[in-house]
Structures are given as C-alpha cells and as structure tokens.
Amino acid sequence: MKKYLGITMFLILLIAGCSTNEQQPPEKEEQQNVSNEQEIGEQEAPSVYNENLEVIAENLEIPWAIETFEDTVFLTERPGNIVKIQNGKVERHRVELEKELSTASEAGLLGFALDPNFIESNLAYAYYTYAEGTEQFSRIVTLRLENNVWKEERLLLDHIPSGTYHHGGRLKIGPDGYLYATTGDASDPDIAQDPNSLGGKILKMDVDGSIPGDNPFPNSYVYSYGHRNPQGLAWSAEGALYASEHGNRANDEVNLIESGKNYGWPLIEGEEELEGMVSPLFTSGDEATWAPSGMSYTEGKLYVAALRGRAVLEFDLETGEQREIISGLGRIRDVYIEDDFLYFISNNTDGRGDQQENDDRLYKIPLSKFN
C-alpha cells in the first residue's frame, strides 16, 4: 500500500512543481521516497541552540564554502561571488572566470581554498561547474584577488564529469600541502568504479596542478574511488582523512579515506559489505537521511553540515556516538572550526529550503556550548 501511495504522491509533486530548481533533477537529499520526505517535513526539529549563537552575516545568496584567514571570513556563493566578512563589514566581490558558470541544479561556484601564503600571494583555489555544448563539466583553477575582484589565473584540472547533478565540489588543502577535491558521479553511477574517470572520486594534486608521485595509481589524480557524491573533507590532528558522502535514498556516509581504497558505490552503500570495498564509519541507515555536506574536525570529533537533515551533526570518533548539536535553522551547507568557535552557513535560498527573512546566514557559536 505504501508503495502505491508513494508513486501517487510523486506524480502529484512532479506535476505541481512550481520552480525551476524543483523541476531540475534533484540533489541526493531530495531523492527520497515520498514517505521519507513526508516524515522529514512533518517533524519540526527542536532548536538545539541558544543566545550563544551569533549571526555574522545575512542575506547571502546560496552560499557554499567557508574559508578564514586571520580575522577575515570568505564565503563562496553559487551564482559566482565571493563574500568577504571582516570586522563586521560584509563585501561581495565579483569573480571573473574563463568559463560561464552553469545554472544547472547544484551547479555554480562551489569549493574554495585559500593559498597558505595568501597574505603575500592573494591566491586561492576554486572548483566550479560550466557547460560546454550539450555537456557539463567541473574544473579546478587558481583565483587571484586584485582590487576586490577575483580573477581566474591558471587552470589546474578540467573536464571533471559534472552532468545534471552530483558535482561533488569540496576543495581543501591537506596537512601534507596537497590539494584535495571531491567529485560526484555526475548522475552516472558506473563512473565511480571506472579508474579512468575523474567522477565519483576524491582527487589529490599538487597546488600547481601536477600529479603527486605518491598517488596510488600511476599518472592519475585519483586518491580514492567508488564515491557517489562526497561533499565534505576533514583531517584529524594525526593526519587521518575523513569524507562525508550522500547515499542513495538514505544510507548517507562518513568515511575514513585511505589511499587507493574503493568505497563501494554503486555496488554497496550504507552498512552493506563486499570484499575489497570499504564500509563507512557512520551511516544514516535505510530509514534516515542526512545529506551531509561540509565537515570539520577538532578534539576527536567530526562536525558535519546536514542539508536534508537540517542540522549540524557531531560524530565522536572514539565512542562512535553521534548527535545533533544545531537544528531549527533549515538546511546547513558548510561548517568551519577556528579558535574554538564553530562557523556554519545555512542554505535555504537554493530553491529547496524554507527561506526565511534575511536568509541565508553565516553563524558562529563557541564549541564550549556543546561540552
């Protein structure tokens, strides 16, 4: 009976779609059966925050990534801006790119990482999606800041499969000094297992775009494979790499990433196991959906932004426990930890959230609040 009810509701929603984003192929967190969507919609999550929560910026336009440098916060916005926030002042900087940004679902200006020597170089790294004829790709480039304008300066890697959705997009410089990027399966699951495809992977490169000599596969950027739509990267104090990943109809994952390993998609997901493939440290299971995005690490715990889950999640790597520490603010796209404070951005202006007045926002809260 539930199966037939789900099909009926899906057809009604499909016909009644009222926005461009809703009509496009949805992000993983929207690819739920209808009963799962109804459960999430009907259960109004209690707020797990108090007066310690500070709004740093508001009226953001589909923000995606957070970076900080000294006392300055930078945010990317998917339509193609970089927002600078310093001493309470918010400035929106234009970004000049060689390719026109794609307007497809989930696409645009995504990952962003500042050069470690940013104070002298004014250099950053960016991940963005674009259309080329009838196809869509992502590329990784350097950006240089000049007179409040970020200009694409150098192409590091191009023609990452992008498709209609599942672009991945997270970009981070690891403690080893290499540049890491997450790529989605571009709505073509088979490429996640294809060693010759850049889709459905975690990539590792030198900051000049070259392939590191210690990568697990010869002459390849691929660091790990078998991923569906990973959107978060974080390292422990000991240098262990973790990634968050969207599952298919629930079964979201937090994985310990090791060089050359196969993380199973589309052959296994969630708690499933198969010889030669890695199962996750944490999974939402068959009955729940997080749709995890950005993540950060401190003191043995991972903090993960949840889109469909509408929360910031905390995962204790020692005890295996997990909990919501922030909810009631809608979809959360990215988190960032700096000087014992947790920063996070809401993502309610992307056409899938319940946009409130002055959304989207950058928030700040002391981590001591959750101890």
Side-chain angles (χ1 to χ4, degrees):
M1 183 69 181
K2 289 175 70 177
K3 175 182 178 182
Y4 296 116
L5 177 60
I7 294 172
T8 302
M9 290 299 295
F10 173 78
L11 291 174
I12 291 171
L13 291 172
L14 182 65
I15 294 169
C18 59
S19 76
T20 301
N21 272 358
E22 288 168 350
Q23 292 169 5
Q24 291 171 337
E27 192 168 335
K28 179 263 140 197
E29 64 266 23
E30 297 296 339
Q31 279 192 299
Q32 306 303 304
N33 59 47
V34 173
S35 62
N36 211 16
E37 286 190 4
Q38 288 174 333
E39 275 186 13
I40 294 170
E42 291 169 359
Q43 294 177 352
E44 184 65 29
S47 297
V48 192
Y49 63 91
N50 62 10
E51 65 275 4
N52 296 118
L53 188 68
E54 180 181 355
V55 177
I56 303 299
E58 53 189 13
N59 297 309
L60 302 170
E61 187 176 0
I62 321 181
W64 211 89
I66 306 171
E67 267 278 49
T68 67
F69 181 78
E70 296 181 346
D71 61 347
T72 303
V73 179
F74 293 96
L75 309 172
T76 57
E77 294 180 321
R78 270 177 43 197
N81 304 303
I82 293 176
V83 178
K84 176 184 176 182
I85 305 158
Q86 185 177 39
N87 298 325
K89 182 180 179 182
V90 179
E91 298 178 359
R92 183 170 276 108
H93 294 168
R94 188 173 78 253
V95 181
E96 296 181 354
L97 301 170
E98 295 295 322
K99 301 284 188 178
E100 184 176 352
L101 284 172
S102 170
T103 58
S105 181
E106 308 173 29
L109 179 59
L110 304 177
F112 182 73
L114 291 172
D115 183 74
N117 193 34
F118 177 71
I119 192 169
E120 295 182 4
S121 68
N122 278 353
L123 194 69
Y125 306 88
Y127 184 114
Y128 72 91
T129 58
Y130 67 96
E132 187 171 271
T134 59
E135 296 184 277
Q136 185 164 287
F137 300 99
S138 297
R139 62 187 347 209
I140 299 171
V141 302
T142 64
L143 302 177
R144 192 174 297 277
L145 178 61
E146 297 177 354
N147 300 319
N148 292 336
V149 176
W150 294 86
K151 296 182 179 180
E152 181 174 336
E153 184 172 87
R154 183 177 180 183
L155 174 65
L156 301 183
L157 183 60
D158 203 356
H159 290 104
I160 299 169
S162 182
T164 51
Y165 54 97
H166 291 180
H167 316 299
R170 193 61 58 188
L171 203 59
K172 294 283 186 179
I173 295 178
D176 55 8
Y178 290 111
L179 185 64
Y180 291 77
T182 69
T183 70
D185 68 9
S187 63
D188 181 4
D190 290 341
I191 69 173
Q193 290 292 322
D194 181 355
N196 297 314
S197 172
L198 294 175
K201 309 293 191 296
I202 293 176
L203 309 179
K204 174 186 170 185
M205 67 183 70
D206 209 325
V207 292
D208 63 2
S210 61
I211 297 172
D214 62 352
N215 270 15
F217 306 104
N219 301 313
S220 174
Y221 291 101
V222 174
Y223 186 73
S224 64
Y225 64 109
H227 299 288
R228 185 173 184 270
N229 192 24
Q231 288 191 357
L233 291 173
W235 286 262
S236 71
E238 295 74 31
L241 173 59
Y242 299 90
S244 63
E245 180 169 342
H246 293 199
N248 180 39
R249 300 184 182 276
N251 291 306
D252 298 305
E253 299 180 355
V254 172
N255 286 290
L256 171 63
I257 303 299
E258 295 182 272
S259 176
K261 295 296 181 68
N262 182 351
Y263 289 81
W265 176 252
L267 303 177
I268 62 170
E269 62 175 339
E271 296 178 351
E272 297 174 341
E273 297 181 356
L274 195 62
E275 186 177 356
M277 298 182 183
V278 182
S279 297
L281 294 177
F282 300 92
T283 176
S284 65
D286 294 330
E287 303 299 324
T289 303
W290 303 326
S293 192
M295 65 192 303
S296 195
Y297 169 93
T298 189
E299 296 183 351
K301 296 176 181 178
L302 292 169
Y303 295 85
V304 181
L307 292 157
R308 192 64 178 169
R310 298 170 182 254
V312 176
L313 308 174
E314 179 191 82
F315 298 90
D316 191 313
L317 295 169
E318 182 177 349
T319 67
E321 296 175 335
Q322 61 190 64
R323 61 173 177 157
E324 289 186 3
I325 60 168
I326 296 287
S327 68
L329 299 173
R331 295 159 59 82
I332 309 299
R333 173 61 73 178
D334 196 16
V335 296
Y336 192 98
I337 293 174
E338 181 80 13
D339 296 331
D340 296 322
F341 284 91
L342 174 69
Y343 296 81
F344 62 96
I345 42 176
S346 63
N347 213 185
N348 298 316
T349 58
D350 66 353
R352 293 169 178 165
D354 299 321
Q355 184 175 345
Q356 303 297 317
E357 185 177 2
N358 298 325
D359 268 341
D360 274 316
R361 297 178 176 88
L362 168 66
Y363 297 93
K364 175 183 177 182
I365 191 168
L367 282 169
S368 59
K369 160 76 172 63
F370 310 114
N371 294 333

